[in-house]
Amino acid sequence: SVRGNADAVAELISYHPIDALDKIGLQPSELSGELSSTVTARFGLINDQSPPPPVWSVNLDMRGVDIAKPVEGRMLTGMDGHLVVTPERAVLKADALVDGVPMTLDIIQPVDKNADVVFRRVLSGTLSPADREKIAPGTGTLFSGPIGFSLEVDPDVEARQMISLDLTSAKLTVPGIGWTKDKGIAAKLDFVMKTDGNVVKLSDLKLSGKGFSASGEVSLNKGQLATATFDHVGLSLRDDYQAVITRKGKGYQVKISGASVDLRPIITLAKSSNTADPDNTDNSVPVEVSAGVEAMFGYSDEKLSSANVSYKGQGARIDLLDFKAVTKSGQAVVMAISGGSAGETIEITSGDAGAFARFAGIYSRIRGGLLNVRLKRQDGPLRRGMLDVRNFQVVGEPRLGSLVSTPGK
């Protein structure tokens, strides 16, 4: 047993017949920190007597050990843990900084190619927001807060990695649709990542949590989304649809189909962005959306059926929106928004004003009625125009009851 500076201790286990460091691709001069080494060995001294192959094991306890050169493209520093090397395998269990990010390493690597040793490489830990940006720049638009992770390399295909993210302590935001999962709500994201040059494919992708789920696959090219196919999206209990996203020029084209979509997050997002500057398209890309679903759900449990939507826009700017659906009473709801150099124009018509008002979360006590809206926005966030509602009833409004019961003067 020997304890001391890493390079000096490592020198003692680098001689024949052990050559422990050479078998794992390291040299004593490449190590710094503190090592404690225990060596057990049995070998013959006289070659003419044809001794059996050497039997040995090296046990290294590491404290703050740094490796001076990259290991498979990654810098390993500050290692605290245990390394065991035998003629068949090397087993590492340690906490370390991988490119400056704290991780726990659990690695088994064959030393003898003919030995029956199964390759294993698992990295795990908790990523802070700063560490997450080091590894995956730009993901701050999706996640905020710490993320637990586990990464396991496929023993047969090294470029294939199985990744599991624990999102319980993080906030998850799906851009563009207003859906968020707050911190403290349990959620998990699992996927298989395979890298081929500049192309990264995420397959078997599964998001799971209480009351929400999604599954599909994603392809990235040079760090940017190329395509995404989701065979199931259920971000609320009333979601049941599929989505295909493809890159189109500098933006994206989205196609949605399926049984139902809960539009409440999008309605809330649209209301909150009413004061946004439509000319400010910083940090946003053009998006085209086409959707055809059997049902769309809004506020007050209101449902619209046979819904079709076409949309083009960028950020807060809407270039085109064409929305058609049918209320429970069989009346049509038609919305058209167009934008351009002359400004934005909004037209809404429906034979059931109450259903539209409930669906949009505007007012829940109107029944029936004819609705016609024409608004225009130019040179600013405010919209001006005409709102015409007629032949409707107001049911169960307490304020109307107080007006009726007030004595006349």
Short mmCIF file of all heavy atoms in Angstrom, two decimals, residues 19-47:
data_model
loop_
_atom_site.label_atom_id
_atom_site.label_comp_id
_atom_site.label_asym_id
_atom_site.label_seq_id
_atom_site.Cartn_x
_atom_site.Cartn_y
_atom_site.Cartn_z
N ASP A 19 1.56 -2.91 -15.33
CA ASP A 19 1.28 -1.90 -16.37
C ASP A 19 -0.17 -1.42 -16.30
O ASP A 19 -0.87 -1.32 -17.32
CB ASP A 19 1.53 -2.47 -17.77
CG ASP A 19 2.97 -2.92 -17.97
OD1 ASP A 19 3.85 -2.28 -17.37
OD2 ASP A 19 3.19 -3.90 -18.68
N ALA A 20 -0.66 -1.12 -15.07
CA ALA A 20 -2.09 -0.82 -14.88
C ALA A 20 -2.53 0.42 -15.65
O ALA A 20 -3.59 0.44 -16.28
CB ALA A 20 -2.39 -0.65 -13.39
N LEU A 21 -1.72 1.47 -15.60
CA LEU A 21 -2.13 2.71 -16.28
C LEU A 21 -2.10 2.56 -17.79
O LEU A 21 -2.97 3.08 -18.50
CB LEU A 21 -1.24 3.87 -15.84
CG LEU A 21 -1.41 4.37 -14.41
CD1 LEU A 21 -0.55 5.60 -14.19
CD2 LEU A 21 -2.86 4.68 -14.11
N ASP A 22 -1.09 1.85 -18.29
CA ASP A 22 -0.99 1.68 -19.74
C ASP A 22 -2.22 0.97 -20.29
O ASP A 22 -2.67 1.24 -21.40
CB ASP A 22 0.28 0.90 -20.07
CG ASP A 22 0.49 0.81 -21.58
OD1 ASP A 22 0.59 1.86 -22.22
OD2 ASP A 22 0.53 -0.33 -22.09
N LYS A 23 -2.79 0.08 -19.49
CA LYS A 23 -3.96 -0.68 -19.94
C LYS A 23 -5.22 0.17 -20.02
O LYS A 23 -6.19 -0.20 -20.67
CB LYS A 23 -4.18 -1.88 -19.01
CG LYS A 23 -3.13 -2.98 -19.20
CD LYS A 23 -3.35 -4.10 -18.22
CE LYS A 23 -2.48 -5.32 -18.58
NZ LYS A 23 -1.04 -5.00 -18.59
N ILE A 24 -5.23 1.31 -19.36
CA ILE A 24 -6.38 2.22 -19.45
C ILE A 24 -6.02 3.52 -20.17
O ILE A 24 -6.76 4.49 -20.11
CB ILE A 24 -6.99 2.52 -18.06
CG1 ILE A 24 -5.94 3.14 -17.13
CG2 ILE A 24 -7.59 1.27 -17.44
CD1 ILE A 24 -6.50 3.55 -15.77
N GLY A 25 -4.87 3.51 -20.83
CA GLY A 25 -4.51 4.63 -21.70
C GLY A 25 -4.01 5.87 -21.00
O GLY A 25 -4.18 6.98 -21.52
N LEU A 26 -3.38 5.72 -19.83
CA LEU A 26 -2.89 6.89 -19.09
C LEU A 26 -1.40 6.73 -18.79
O LEU A 26 -0.87 5.61 -18.72
CB LEU A 26 -3.66 7.08 -17.79
CG LEU A 26 -5.15 7.44 -17.90
CD1 LEU A 26 -5.79 7.48 -16.52
CD2 LEU A 26 -5.34 8.76 -18.63
N GLN A 27 -0.74 7.88 -18.53
CA GLN A 27 0.64 7.91 -18.10
C GLN A 27 0.72 8.60 -16.74
O GLN A 27 -0.09 9.48 -16.43
CB GLN A 27 1.51 8.67 -19.12
CG GLN A 27 1.56 8.06 -20.50
CD GLN A 27 2.18 6.67 -20.50
OE1 GLN A 27 3.16 6.42 -19.78
NE2 GLN A 27 1.61 5.76 -21.29
N PRO A 28 1.68 8.19 -15.88
CA PRO A 28 1.77 8.81 -14.54
C PRO A 28 1.87 10.33 -14.58
O PRO A 28 1.29 11.02 -13.73
CB PRO A 28 3.05 8.18 -13.97
CG PRO A 28 3.17 6.87 -14.68
CD PRO A 28 2.65 7.11 -16.06
N SER A 29 2.57 10.88 -15.56
CA SER A 29 2.76 12.34 -15.62
C SER A 29 1.46 13.09 -15.91
O SER A 29 1.40 14.31 -15.74
CB SER A 29 3.80 12.68 -16.68
OG SER A 29 3.37 12.21 -17.96
N GLU A 30 0.43 12.38 -16.37
CA GLU A 30 -0.84 13.01 -16.71
C GLU A 30 -1.79 13.11 -15.52
O GLU A 30 -2.90 13.63 -15.65
CB GLU A 30 -1.52 12.22 -17.84
CG GLU A 30 -0.73 12.25 -19.14
CD GLU A 30 -1.21 11.23 -20.15
OE1 GLU A 30 -1.97 10.31 -19.77
OE2 GLU A 30 -0.81 11.34 -21.33
N LEU A 31 -1.36 12.62 -14.35
CA LEU A 31 -2.20 12.62 -13.16
C LEU A 31 -1.66 13.58 -12.12
O LEU A 31 -0.46 13.72 -11.92
CB LEU A 31 -2.27 11.22 -12.54
CG LEU A 31 -2.78 10.09 -13.44
CD1 LEU A 31 -2.77 8.78 -12.68
CD2 LEU A 31 -4.18 10.40 -13.94
N SER A 32 -2.57 14.26 -11.43
CA SER A 32 -2.21 15.11 -10.29
C SER A 32 -3.28 14.95 -9.22
O SER A 32 -4.40 14.54 -9.50
CB SER A 32 -2.08 16.57 -10.72
OG SER A 32 -3.31 17.06 -11.24
N GLY A 33 -2.93 15.30 -7.99
CA GLY A 33 -3.84 15.10 -6.87
C GLY A 33 -3.25 14.10 -5.91
O GLY A 33 -2.03 13.93 -5.81
N GLU A 34 -4.11 13.38 -5.18
CA GLU A 34 -3.65 12.42 -4.18
C GLU A 34 -4.20 11.03 -4.47
O GLU A 34 -5.40 10.87 -4.73
CB GLU A 34 -4.07 12.86 -2.78
CG GLU A 34 -3.55 11.96 -1.68
CD GLU A 34 -3.95 12.45 -0.30
OE1 GLU A 34 -3.99 13.68 -0.10
OE2 GLU A 34 -4.21 11.60 0.57
N LEU A 35 -3.32 10.02 -4.43
CA LEU A 35 -3.71 8.64 -4.66
C LEU A 35 -3.26 7.78 -3.49
O LEU A 35 -2.19 7.99 -2.91
CB LEU A 35 -3.05 8.09 -5.93
CG LEU A 35 -3.69 8.37 -7.29
CD1 LEU A 35 -2.86 7.69 -8.38
CD2 LEU A 35 -5.11 7.87 -7.33
N SER A 36 -4.10 6.79 -3.18
CA SER A 36 -3.73 5.74 -2.25
C SER A 36 -3.88 4.43 -3.01
O SER A 36 -4.96 4.11 -3.51
CB SER A 36 -4.64 5.75 -1.02
OG SER A 36 -4.34 4.65 -0.17
N SER A 37 -2.78 3.66 -3.12
CA SER A 37 -2.77 2.47 -3.96
C SER A 37 -2.52 1.22 -3.13
O SER A 37 -1.63 1.20 -2.27
CB SER A 37 -1.67 2.60 -5.03
OG SER A 37 -1.50 1.39 -5.72
N THR A 38 -3.32 0.19 -3.39
CA THR A 38 -3.10 -1.13 -2.81
C THR A 38 -2.98 -2.12 -3.96
O THR A 38 -3.90 -2.25 -4.77
CB THR A 38 -4.26 -1.54 -1.89
OG1 THR A 38 -4.37 -0.60 -0.83
CG2 THR A 38 -4.01 -2.93 -1.30
N VAL A 39 -1.84 -2.83 -4.02
CA VAL A 39 -1.56 -3.74 -5.12
C VAL A 39 -1.45 -5.16 -4.58
O VAL A 39 -0.72 -5.41 -3.61
CB VAL A 39 -0.27 -3.36 -5.87
CG1 VAL A 39 0.00 -4.35 -7.01
CG2 VAL A 39 -0.37 -1.94 -6.41
N THR A 40 -2.17 -6.07 -5.21
CA THR A 40 -2.05 -7.50 -4.92
C THR A 40 -1.63 -8.19 -6.21
O THR A 40 -2.29 -8.00 -7.25
CB THR A 40 -3.38 -8.09 -4.42
OG1 THR A 40 -3.79 -7.38 -3.25
CG2 THR A 40 -3.22 -9.56 -4.08
N ALA A 41 -0.54 -8.97 -6.15
CA ALA A 41 -0.04 -9.58 -7.38
C ALA A 41 0.58 -10.94 -7.10
O ALA A 41 1.15 -11.18 -6.03
CB ALA A 41 0.98 -8.66 -8.04
N ARG A 42 0.47 -11.83 -8.12
CA ARG A 42 1.12 -13.15 -8.09
C ARG A 42 1.58 -13.45 -9.50
O ARG A 42 0.77 -13.51 -10.43
CB ARG A 42 0.14 -14.21 -7.60
CG ARG A 42 0.80 -15.59 -7.43
CD ARG A 42 -0.19 -16.60 -6.91
NE ARG A 42 -1.25 -16.83 -7.88
CZ ARG A 42 -2.34 -17.56 -7.63
NH1 ARG A 42 -2.51 -18.09 -6.44
NH2 ARG A 42 -3.24 -17.74 -8.58
N PHE A 43 2.90 -13.63 -9.63
CA PHE A 43 3.44 -13.88 -10.96
C PHE A 43 4.78 -14.59 -10.83
O PHE A 43 5.46 -14.52 -9.79
CB PHE A 43 3.61 -12.57 -11.76
CG PHE A 43 4.34 -11.50 -11.04
CD1 PHE A 43 5.73 -11.41 -11.10
CD2 PHE A 43 3.64 -10.57 -10.27
CE1 PHE A 43 6.41 -10.41 -10.43
CE2 PHE A 43 4.31 -9.56 -9.60
CZ PHE A 43 5.70 -9.48 -9.69
N GLY A 44 5.14 -15.27 -11.87
CA GLY A 44 6.41 -15.99 -11.90
C GLY A 44 7.56 -15.07 -12.24
O GLY A 44 7.40 -14.10 -12.98
N LEU A 45 8.76 -15.43 -11.69
CA LEU A 45 9.94 -14.59 -11.92
C LEU A 45 10.87 -15.15 -12.99
O LEU A 45 11.70 -14.43 -13.54
CB LEU A 45 10.72 -14.44 -10.61
CG LEU A 45 9.95 -13.74 -9.47
CD1 LEU A 45 10.80 -13.73 -8.21
CD2 LEU A 45 9.57 -12.33 -9.88
N ILE A 46 10.74 -16.46 -13.26
CA ILE A 46 11.66 -17.09 -14.21
C ILE A 46 10.87 -17.54 -15.43
O ILE A 46 10.08 -18.49 -15.38
CB ILE A 46 12.37 -18.29 -13.56
CG1 ILE A 46 13.10 -17.84 -12.29
CG2 ILE A 46 13.34 -18.95 -14.54
CD1 ILE A 46 13.71 -18.98 -11.51
N ASN A 47 11.07 -16.86 -16.51
CA ASN A 47 10.31 -17.15 -17.73
C ASN A 47 10.60 -18.54 -18.28
O ASN A 47 9.74 -19.17 -18.90
CB ASN A 47 10.60 -16.11 -18.80
CG ASN A 47 10.00 -14.75 -18.44
OD1 ASN A 47 9.00 -14.68 -17.73
ND2 ASN A 47 10.64 -13.69 -18.92
#
